[in-house]
Amino acid sequence: MTDTATPTTKAPEQPPRRSYAKLAADESREDYSLRYAPHSFRRWSPAMVAGTALGGIAYLADFAIGASIVFTYGFTSGFASILTAAVIIFLTGIPIARACAKYGLDMDLVTRGAGFGYFGSTLTSLIYASFTFIFFALEGSIMAQAMHQAVGLPVEIGYLVTTLIVIPIVFRGMGALAKVQAWTQPVWIIGMVLPFLVLAFEAPDAWGAFGSFGGTEGAGSGFSWIGFGLGTGVALSLIAQIGEQADYLRFMPARTEANKRRWNLAVLAAGPGWVIIGAAKQLGGAFLAFVALEAVGKTHALEPITPQIEALKPWLGSFALPAAAVFVIVSQIKINVTNAYSGSLSWSNFFSRITHKHPGRVWYIFLNLAIALTLMEMNMFAMLGKLLGFYSNVGIAWIAAVAADLVINKRIGLSPSYIEFKRAYLYAVNPAGFGAMVIASTVSILAFFGLFGTYAEAFSTFIAAGLALVLCPLIAWATKGKYYLARPNPVNGPGVEIEDITATHTCTVCETAYELPDIADCPVQSGPICSLCCSLDAECGDICRKNPADGSAAGPVLMPVPTMPVRGA
């Protein structure tokens, strides 16, 4: 008689303990780039966070974008385009800003839990990274133009200088960015207001003439639906700016009864509120370019430095050039440290999921800047309108899908009421948000290239927004919300109260303590694991997310893992 051995299931081997590279382990520089921002790190007041976030919108690309729209489509259509885009950006930005500030998460982590899934948001990380290096290149080009006019520095060398100058600041993270934004704000405010003050005294009739301006391309001073649609598409390219605002908003302190009024105002101002200033800058930039048009010609009028000089000449004379150059350089440093910082975050998110490696956020600064420098050297400033019009089709499909999930799906129960961002609880791809974005952006891009006729081409961004807003809840309803959570997070069930999420647990992989929202229970490690170690694990086979009915172990719930905000948030 032969004994038959009872088959046993071999437990997965535990991966070795992880030791992060020095730069990746230093959170004073890393700024929790791939993680939930813990309350222990949120040392700033709501006003300080809002001021830092708003300091980052000092950019002058708004001047160039507004001037380009009005020059191409005339004042009436251009004005309507800029205001319409501002309303859309403001409305979609409200729920996103509140979610990022409430849960301490950046745009990528919010996107994961707002209908895209763990790998689905990888594509949006790439879209967001593209936004940061495109606008870094635009802002860098404007700064190089200023240095060329001020000191005769060749623009090709100026591109390099504008790229290198931000590295020491961005390298040091949020603390350094906050100081730079605060120190430079007075100079920026004076430089922003002074040209309009001069023109109010020296050219009081200019605003009236501007209102009847028909553009430089023969559009005429009347309203045109085609011009309105195309102009709105260009202005909507800025919709992804909410991601850069979110990179600051995640450091908001917890919302409490004591600070809720200040908290709400700060989040509204620093989140969607940026576009109010942005729209004013677009119209103001178009006005300065219009005033300078006759003296300098169209090409130079579209370069923000030249209209600044022309506006300041009546009062400052020969000092107008250096004054304008200082303003432009300060403005561009303020925005490009934000572009480089946000780019490093988005690239970190992208590559951590593709390669399961994380050398540290700071290394991706160089990747983002290298791409931006290449675009500057290719003179992308000359292709401004077409490039931004194309990009906005993808950007608005992404943002609209996320906003639809936060506003519609979560409120009617198609999506979990909280933001789940950890790999351990998410499906790889959620068709609700990801599918809505892909379908909406594909259809709108085809429309943008004229496949569906002239009007569809002009209104391609409206098509993208409308489809994403409708498809996200529709797909979530059709799939019954199945693809939001691969397994439940037990502490988010009905009736669960989270008194305090600041208590920490030690990750069994990197042996570092993190606040509970950054922790998941791991059957492979037989203990808690932090979100980043979980993301970087390439050997576990996602055992925790597999269905026990299939014969694999989902693992016990080893500990409660809160992902809800503190009470009052």
Side-chain angles (χ1 to χ4, degrees), residues 5 12 254 311 364 457 494 509 565:
Y364 294 112
E457 178 182 352
V509 178

Side-chain angles (χ1 to χ4, degrees), residues 402-415 469-470 473:
V402 173
D405 182 85
L406 295 174
V407 174
I408 301 172
N409 295 4
K410 291 192 181 303
R411 294 197 177 188
I412 64 177
L414 293 173
S415 170
L469 286 170
V470 171

Side-chain angles (χ1 to χ4, degrees), residues 421-484:
F421 67 94
K422 295 180 288 293
R423 174 190 179 188
Y425 299 104
L426 294 174
Y427 280 100
V429 176
N430 185 344
F434 182 80
M437 184 197 74
V438 170
I439 295 171
S441 58
T442 300
V443 173
S444 66
I445 288 172
L446 292 176
F448 176 77
F449 284 109
L451 188 64
F452 306 128
T454 302
Y455 278 91
E457 178 182 352
F459 287 86
S460 63
T461 49
F462 290 85
I463 293 172
L467 283 176
L469 286 170
V470 171
L471 288 174
C472 183
L474 187 62
I475 296 173
W477 172 79
T479 58
K480 299 180 180 180
K482 173 183 176 181
Y483 295 99
Y484 280 92

